[in-house]
């Protein structure tokens, strides 16, 4: 037993291993290559789509803090620059999309809030989601006593008026 230990100490085996493969000792004491399952990445951007065209225009800023989900993989939130990243996704068809139940209150989702991406190997797929910014209308309803079509400061407000927004 002791001679066996001495011979093992004197034996030095070196081998360069290429990236992307794992090596295991085979029964004969030699090394064999075992391919490592490749994993993919999905990255993207969420931005305020002011004109609703589905494309990020130069004046449309990124939106931070928007939650996204990649089915069966997990959830992330956009960074300050509006970017997000899902790593180590197995091969196959996956659905990535906005977490509609947790969108910021001042945005509506786009017409297509989820996308399917096909991944294989070490793919990196890029996706983008344009949120529709919501606005508000403020003002007061008055009795236009002088019939000039303008709410003058001296004209009395109409309490309980119902305002209807047409076409929007």
């Amino acid at each position: 037993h002791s001679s066996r230990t001495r011979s093992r100490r004197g034996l030095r085996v070196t081998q360069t291993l290429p990236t992307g493969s794992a090596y295991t000792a085979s029964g004969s004491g030699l090394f064999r290559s075992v391919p490592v399952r490749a994993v993919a990445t999905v990255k993207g951007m969420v931005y305020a789509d002011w004109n609703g065209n589905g494309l990020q225009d130069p004046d449309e800023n990124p939106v931070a803090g928007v939650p996204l989900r990649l089915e069966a993989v997990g959830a992330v939130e956009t960074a300050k620059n509006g970017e997000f990243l899902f790593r180590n996704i197995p091969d196959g068809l996956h659905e990535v999309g906005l977490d509609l139940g947790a969108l910021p209150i001042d945005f509506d989702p786009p017409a297509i809030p989820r996308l399917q991406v096909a991944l294989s190997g070490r793919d990196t797929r890029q996706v983008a989601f344009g949120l529709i910014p919501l606005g508000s209308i403020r003002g007061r309803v008055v009795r236009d006593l002088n019939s000039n079509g303008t709410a003058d400061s001296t004209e009395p407000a109409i309490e309980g008026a119902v305002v209807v927004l047409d076409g929007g």
Side-chain angles (χ1 to χ4, degrees):
H1 181 69
S2 62
S3 64
R4 214 181 206 186
T5 305
R6 272 187 248 135
S7 67
R8 283 189 182 169
R9 284 188 192 161
L11 178 63
R12 183 174 177 181
V13 176
T14 61
Q15 183 172 358
T16 304
L17 304 176
T19 306
S21 295
Y23 284 81
T24 60
S26 67
S28 65
L30 300 174
F31 289 95
R32 63 183 172 85
S33 175
V34 178
V36 173
R37 184 171 182 192
V39 289
T41 301
V42 173
K43 65 181 187 175
M45 164 72 70
V46 176
Y47 60 95
D49 191 5
W50 286 97
N51 60 7
N53 68 354
L55 302 170
Q56 186 177 12
D57 299 312
D59 61 338
E60 295 178 331
N61 297 329
V63 181
V66 177
L68 293 109
R69 299 193 67 71
L70 184 71
E71 109 293 307
V73 173
V76 297
E77 203 171 85
T78 57
K80 288 182 182 179
N81 63 0
E83 294 179 356
F84 64 90
L85 181 68
F86 289 99
R87 294 181 192 194
N88 301 326
I89 304 166
D91 291 355
L93 189 62
H94 297 277
E95 185 177 89
V96 61
L98 299 164
D99 184 346
L100 299 178
L103 281 181
I105 195 163
D106 44 350
F107 291 98
D108 265 350
I112 301 173
R114 293 181 191 91
L115 299 170
Q116 292 210 340
V117 291
L119 301 169
S120 66
R122 295 192 179 276
D123 285 348
T124 297
R125 296 282 187 246
Q126 293 191 0
V127 297
F129 296 98
L131 298 180
I132 309 301
L134 299 175
S136 62
I137 298 174
R138 289 185 5 185
R140 69 186 188 115
V141 178
V142 299
R143 183 168 314 280
D144 190 9
L145 297 176
N146 60 9
S147 299
N148 68 354
T150 302
D152 299 320
S153 61
T154 58
E155 294 176 321
I158 299 176
E159 298 294 324
V162 176
V163 178
V164 176
L165 177 64
D166 288 336

